[in-house]
Amino acid sequence: HLHETNHIRKKSGCTLKTINLSNNQISGVPDTFFHGCGEHLATLKLANNSLSTLEETIFSGLSSMKTLDLSGNRLTSTHISKRLFQDLEQLKELYLDHNDLSNFEESDEVFVPMAGTLVVLKLNHNNIKVISNRTFLSLNNLLELNLSHNQITSLDEPSFSGLESLKHLSLGHNQIVTIHEQSFQHCDKL
């Protein structure tokens, strides 16, 4: 677990543009650990740790963040919510690959906060089985979506609704049996 260092932060302020805590054994992060870094922090890397949960307010105030890497952890769909990402309106790249995500059906609007800016979304190497028709609906600027190495069995008509700008879609190494003839009708640039 990382421990809060408010005493140090209040004296020096947080002017870091990049924080890389990847490849450690971090299992938890206090919900206010990154507070105060919002004006400057553009890149946060927490990849390849042991995170299984994240407090909903951990990214509060990080409105300048462009890249968030949470890959290689133990995160589940239960802990990925719209509220978790609510302040990340400038986010361009989100890495959630190599986790234990299974679906986004109950949290269809999880990516809405970064709808206008997100261009790269990595969801590969998870346990995703179903793509809800609303999961990617708001991501009209997304250029790259990686869903490879999951357990997707079918692609329904509205699976990729809203992805008008998508140029790269990776669906390899799934268990796809059925593809609706209009699955990609909204992906004009593929």
Side-chain angles (χ1 to χ4, degrees), residues 116-176:
T117 58
L118 197 66
V119 292
V120 175
L121 179 57
K122 303 277 183 156
L123 294 168
N124 50 297
H125 289 90
N126 277 290
N127 296 310
I128 299 170
K129 296 177 176 108
V130 175
I131 301 171
S132 164
N133 63 352
R134 297 183 46 80
T135 302
F136 307 118
L137 189 61
S138 62
L139 300 178
N140 54 352
N141 290 319
L142 194 69
L143 299 175
E144 180 180 346
L145 175 60
N146 192 336
L147 287 163
S148 67
H149 299 283
N150 277 290
Q151 297 176 18
I152 300 167
T153 58
S154 66
L155 300 177
D156 297 326
E157 179 182 350
S159 294
F160 302 107
S161 293
L163 299 177
E164 296 97 25
S165 300
L166 194 66
K167 291 184 179 181
H168 304 281
L169 174 62
S170 182
L171 289 162
H173 300 277
N174 275 287
Q175 300 169 9
I176 299 171

Side-chain angles (χ1 to χ4, degrees), residues 47-177:
N48 302 314
N49 280 292
S50 298
L51 295 170
S52 58
T53 63
L54 292 170
E55 297 293 327
E56 281 191 334
T57 57
I58 191 169
F59 304 125
S60 292
L62 299 180
S63 57
S64 297
M65 179 122 42
K66 304 277 190 277
T67 303
L68 177 58
D69 189 348
L70 296 169
S71 62
N73 281 288
R74 299 177 186 155
L75 297 172
T76 64
S77 299
T78 309
H79 297 101
I80 302 296
S81 68
K82 179 181 174 181
R83 178 142 165 75
L84 179 67
F85 300 127
Q86 75 180 2
D87 288 349
L88 304 182
E89 302 107 3
Q90 299 301 313
L91 199 68
K92 292 186 176 293
E93 299 177 16
L94 178 57
Y95 300 91
L96 291 168
D97 51 289
H98 292 88
N99 275 290
D100 291 323
L101 304 176
S102 57
N103 65 55
F104 293 105
E105 282 187 280
E106 284 129 31
S107 53
D108 280 338
E109 298 179 344
V110 69
F111 303 115
V112 168
M114 61 212 87
T117 58
L118 197 66
V119 292
V120 175
L121 179 57
K122 303 277 183 156
L123 294 168
N124 50 297
H125 289 90
N126 277 290
N127 296 310
I128 299 170
K129 296 177 176 108
V130 175
I131 301 171
S132 164
N133 63 352
R134 297 183 46 80
T135 302
F136 307 118
L137 189 61
S138 62
L139 300 178
N140 54 352
N141 290 319
L142 194 69
L143 299 175
E144 180 180 346
L145 175 60
N146 192 336
L147 287 163
S148 67
H149 299 283
N150 277 290
Q151 297 176 18
I152 300 167
T153 58
S154 66
L155 300 177
D156 297 326
E157 179 182 350
S159 294
F160 302 107
S161 293
L163 299 177
E164 296 97 25
S165 300
L166 194 66
K167 291 184 179 181
H168 304 281
L169 174 62
S170 182
L171 289 162
H173 300 277
N174 275 287
Q175 300 169 9
I176 299 171
V177 176

